[in-house]
Amino acid sequence: SSGINAEYGKSKPELPKFVRVCKYGSKLVIRADKDIYQKGMSYCLTYYDDFGMPIPNQVKDRLANTKIPEFLDKVHDAAVFLGSTGKLYVPYPASPLSQRK
């Protein structure tokens, strides 16, 4: 499905140094480990975008092997922080939790 911001993006001028993503979507499936009233869950986030140009295999490999796991570490850190403090945070440029490695 198309994202909400696809229409918003059309109001901005196109610049040759940027790629405009017009088709994208995501699905999030959440499953409680025991029941919905107890702590603990598993989730699966699927994201798709089509920015209309081929991606070299070397770039795909780098994304799959480094950048996607780094992103998921940040998502995990945010979930742990939220679960332990009840507060949201943005883990940029680096959070204390993401320094755990």
Side-chain angles (χ1 to χ4, degrees):
S1 65
S2 289
I4 295 169
N5 289 333
E7 291 298 318
Y8 169 77
K10 292 178 182 175
S11 66
K12 300 291 183 185
E14 290 194 35
L15 300 172
K17 65 180 183 176
F18 297 108
V19 174
R20 174 163 293 165
V21 176
C22 295
K23 295 180 185 178
Y24 62 92
S26 66
K27 293 184 184 211
L28 177 63
V29 177
I30 301 171
R31 185 190 66 175
D33 289 342
K34 295 178 182 168
D35 68 59
I36 62 172
Y37 301 104
Q38 295 181 343
K39 291 183 178 181
M41 67 167 189
S42 299
Y43 68 92
C44 177
L45 175 63
T46 305
Y47 175 80
Y48 163 82
D49 64 26
D50 177 6
F51 49 90
M53 59 187 280
I55 301 174
N57 285 335
Q58 293 167 318
V59 174
K60 288 180 194 177
D61 291 345
R62 176 148 169 80
L63 289 171
N65 293 320
T66 60
K67 297 303 177 185
I68 293 172
E70 287 173 12
F71 170 74
L72 291 176
D73 281 344
K74 290 177 182 177
V75 170
H76 177 262
D77 290 349
V80 169
F81 188 82
L82 176 62
S84 64
T85 66
K87 298 178 182 178
L88 296 175
Y89 84 113
V90 178
Y92 297 106
S95 73
L97 292 174
S98 60
Q99 304 299 321
R100 69 178 185 261
K101 294 180 182 174

